[in-house]
Amino acid sequence: MAIPRFEARSYDFMPYVDALNWIGGQWVPSVTGRTQPLENPRHAEIMGHVTISGAADVDAAVQAAKKAQPAWAELPMRERAQVLYRVKALMERDFEELSWLVCHENGKVISQAQASVAKAIECIENGCALPNMADGGGLEVSRGVECRVIYEPVGVVAGITPFNFPLMVPNWMLPQALVGGNAFILKPSEKVPQSVLRFAELLQEAGLPDGVFNIVNGAKDAVEAICDHPDIGALAFVGSTKVAKLVYARASAAGKVVKCLGGAKNFLIVAPDADLQLTSENMAASFTGCSGQRCMAAAVMVAVGDSQHLIDGVVAESAKLRPGIDHGCIIDADAVKRITAYIDEAEAKGAKVLLDGRGKRGDHQGHWLGATVLDHVTNDMRAAHEEIFGPVLCIMRVNTLDEAIALQNASPYGNGAAVYTQSGKVAEYCVRRLTSGMVGVNIGVPVPREPFGFGGWKDSKFGVGDVSGWDGFRFWTRPRKVTTKWAVQKDWTWMS
Ligand code: NAD
């Protein structure tokens, strides 16, 4: 039975359905019978409940996936991709509904929720294009002997995703996995499981056979059961570094192919010659967008040399941003407490609070923090090197570019980094030395757009390759190398 449409078209509170599991094309409660409340973070009101699954639920999803996968894999890749063309059209048709759902479950402002749904659609488009990239290639490697590659599915695969992009991050994985011929099990964040419910039904409407896409809701128990299940061949994870490490170790030990994206601490270097307006607006948008709850948000502004005017510009731009209008709220009360503790501690150790978001609120009774800028942050403060994941910008002042680069290089994280300058030479000097998988030049959120893959370095990623783009397709498939000879050679030997 289909779930109802989500009718909200404003920030006014609206409850929605309980998030059950989607197994074999049907909504089912978990075997555990456990649920937990789902809070709309803007209102701090309960929108519904989420099923908290255990190992038996994961197994039920695996059995449904195993049943559906062989017939799905039998289809030519181009036919599998047709489902993505159709779901793209359906996502465009339901763009407003999906965006408002993301907005309500996650607390983003509507413009940022819309951007995240648009990006999910872009990921689907990349999936549509995959058959044109996956021809495999072939070569006559010896007289009359030809080698070619066929990308075969892994079989049953799984993805585990975080709270900050409820619909977009699952779509970093799904298009490649489906076009690759796999059946997929998604374990969304237990904080934001509702927009993927609608998405599951859109996939069904687009003609995806039942059982090829399944959702198992839940938390730690479900994740551990996915890591351990012998019939899941590949697993991608996106979330904090702490959990990424646990999942990587556990799922690898169980023999899976695993790729885990972790947390971040992004250093944005500002050279004194940087464009004032561009840098100010860009930096402010980078650390406050999604209320700083994104792995590509600016965390540290490294101000090089005489750049007081740029610091002033960033503070002035940030002061204009209003919670609830220009950026959304914080996911829950615990997160507000955690972020506030970082600010309090830095202040107590001597950081100067240039802009104080503590106690600033948006329009409803939920979980809020305003943009906060801390100056003279030093390495003895946790705010300098730990991931805060909130709308907080730490300013660290250095004299040279090399000192700025050294600060970033010392971070255990390597997700995003950027440099602001008008000099190509300075930009290239930094780009080549920053130990980060994604680097921006005069761009505060250097997210590679499709078809470029998304993925960091160091403790921001465990496993090989990026999660999206072509690397994603390679991750969810196994290359079969076929060597063929039909003609009998004149110089035939036992090795021929
Ligand atoms: P999280 O690590 O708490 O949760 C991610 C997933 O892991 C969820 O599905 C959750 O249910 C599960 N989980 C949580 N604790 C677990 C445990 N102890 N054992 C097993 N599973 C567990 O992350 P979050 O708070 O949802 O998301 C924020 C984090 O995700 C930040 O660190 C952010 O940087 C990171 N993130 C990284 C990227 C990236 O591309 N590198 C993208 C988005 C978010």
Side-chain angles (χ1 to χ4, degrees):
M1 199 184 67
I3 55 172
R5 308 291 293 255
F6 187 64
E7 302 290 353
R9 292 295 179 273
S10 75
Y11 293 126
D12 292 348
F13 179 77
M14 183 168 285
Y16 195 46
V17 293
D18 289 344
L20 302 181
N21 290 339
W22 176 251
I23 295 180
Q26 287 187 336
W27 297 112
V28 291
S30 76
V31 177
T32 63
R34 285 171 57 208
T35 63
Q36 72 183 43
L38 287 171
E39 198 186 42
N40 172 320
R42 196 178 190 103
H43 294 266
E45 276 191 60
I46 304 304
M47 273 181 90
H49 288 78
V50 59
T51 290
I52 299 296
S53 304
D57 300 298
V58 169
D59 188 56
V62 172
Q63 297 316 321
K66 273 173 78 173
K67 201 166 146 211
Q69 191 267 336
W72 177 243
E74 282 281 306
L75 296 175
M77 190 182 289
R78 290 169 66 87
E79 274 183 48
R80 297 195 294 257
Q82 292 307 312
V83 171
L84 296 185
Y85 281 102
R86 291 194 291 268
V87 87
K88 169 176 147 61
L90 296 176
M91 290 171 84
E92 285 164 349
R93 180 195 73 189
D94 294 349
F95 184 76
E96 286 303 309
E97 179 186 2
L98 293 169
S99 302
W100 281 106
L101 197 39
V102 168
C103 165
H104 277 243
E105 66 177 339
N106 171 277
K108 293 180 199 294
V109 287
I110 187 61
S111 57
Q112 291 173 7
Q114 285 167 333
S116 77
V117 176
K119 174 71 192 185
I121 293 174
E122 196 172 295
C123 294
I124 296 276
E125 280 171 10
N126 185 240
C128 294
L130 279 173
N132 300 323
M133 298 163 72
D135 65 1
L139 184 70
E140 186 182 37
V141 290
S142 174
R143 269 166 298 165
V145 179
E146 186 208 56
C147 279
R148 69 194 160 101
V149 178
I150 306 172
Y151 293 102
E152 302 283 4
V154 173
V156 176
V157 301
I160 298 167
T161 52
F163 80 80
N164 60 335
F165 285 96
L167 194 60
M168 183 189 88
V169 172
N171 275 297
W172 283 354
M173 307 171 180
L174 193 68
Q176 288 89 338
L178 292 188
V179 172
N182 302 284
F184 194 90
I185 298 170
L186 175 68
K187 206 301 285 173
S189 165
E190 66 278 25
K191 296 177 184 172
V192 293
Q194 288 173 315
S195 51
V196 289
L197 305 181
R198 286 291 308 137
F199 181 63
E201 293 206 341
L202 293 186
L203 282 169
Q204 191 178 52
E205 191 180 341
L208 188 72
D210 291 346
V212 175
F213 176 67
N214 306 277
I215 300 173
V216 177
N217 279 302
K220 187 169 182 272
D221 290 351
V223 169
E224 291 181 350
I226 289 171
C227 291
D228 296 344
H229 202 294
D231 293 337
I232 298 175
L235 170 62
F237 169 94
V238 178
S240 62
T241 290
K242 186 181 134 223
V243 183
K245 274 185 183 165
L246 291 171
V247 167
Y248 189 75
R250 188 163 179 149
S252 302
K256 293 179 179 32
V257 184
V258 193
K259 179 156 15 196
C260 293
L261 272 62
K265 187 82 183 172
N266 304 319
F267 288 69
L268 275 53
I269 297 174
V270 179
D273 73 332
D275 182 272
L276 178 60
Q277 189 184 353
L278 181 151
T279 307
S280 307
E281 290 176 358
N282 217 239
M283 184 76 68
S286 176
F287 85 91
T288 59
C290 305
S291 288
Q293 299 169 116
R294 58 181 169 182
C295 64
M296 292 298 279
V300 179
M301 170 178 170
V302 190
V304 182
D306 182 12
S307 40
Q308 185 60 48
H309 60 296
L310 292 155
I311 293 174
D312 295 341
V314 170
V315 174
E317 279 304 322
S318 310
K320 293 180 193 165
L321 302 175
R322 300 148 298 174
I325 297 169
D326 301 304
H327 65 86
C329 50
I330 306 295
I331 189 70
D332 54 30
D334 283 350
V336 173
K337 230 159 100 185
R338 191 197 68 241
I339 299 163
T340 307
Y342 279 107
I343 304 170
D344 293 347
E345 188 208 77
E347 187 179 31
K349 288 191 168 180
K352 197 168 164 204
V353 184
L354 299 183
L355 186 65
D356 196 348
R358 287 170 293 189
K360 290 220 177 110
R361 305 195 55 80
D363 47 2
H364 293 281
Q365 289 310 306
H367 313 297
W368 298 96
L369 264 180
T372 299
V373 182
L374 303 172
D375 197 3
H376 299 289
V377 172
T378 48
N379 260 328
D380 59 326
M381 303 169 190
R382 285 189 309 137
H385 40 86
E386 292 185 12
E387 182 178 35
I388 299 177
F389 220 56
V392 180
L393 183 70
C394 298
I395 298 176
M396 300 178 85
R397 293 170 182 247
V398 295
N399 292 318
T400 66
L401 268 185
D402 285 333
E403 285 174 77
I405 292 166
L407 276 179
Q408 187 281 331
N409 289 177
S411 170
Y413 297 106
N415 212 43
V419 54
Y420 289 88
T421 178
Q422 297 188 62
S423 153
K425 196 171 159 190
V426 167
E428 199 57 14
Y429 187 84
C430 293
V431 164
R432 298 293 175 140
R433 285 165 179 78
L434 291 165
T435 50
S436 159
M438 294 169 279
V439 179
V441 177
N442 297 322
I443 291 183
V445 186
V447 172
R449 301 281 296 266
E450 311 305 318
F452 295 95
F454 189 100
W457 293 356
K458 303 197 282 187
D459 280 1
S460 295
K461 192 190 69 193
F462 305 89
V464 177
D466 292 331
V467 72
S468 60
W470 178 241
D471 279 5
F473 181 76
R474 295 291 303 271
F475 177 74
W476 300 113
T477 53
R478 297 184 286 192
R480 187 200 298 282
K481 285 71 63 182
V482 183
T483 306
T484 311
K485 184 173 75 170
W486 292 107
V488 176
Q489 283 173 238
K490 285 192 188 123
D491 54 351
W492 189 91
T493 68
W494 65 272
M495 277 180 67
S496 299

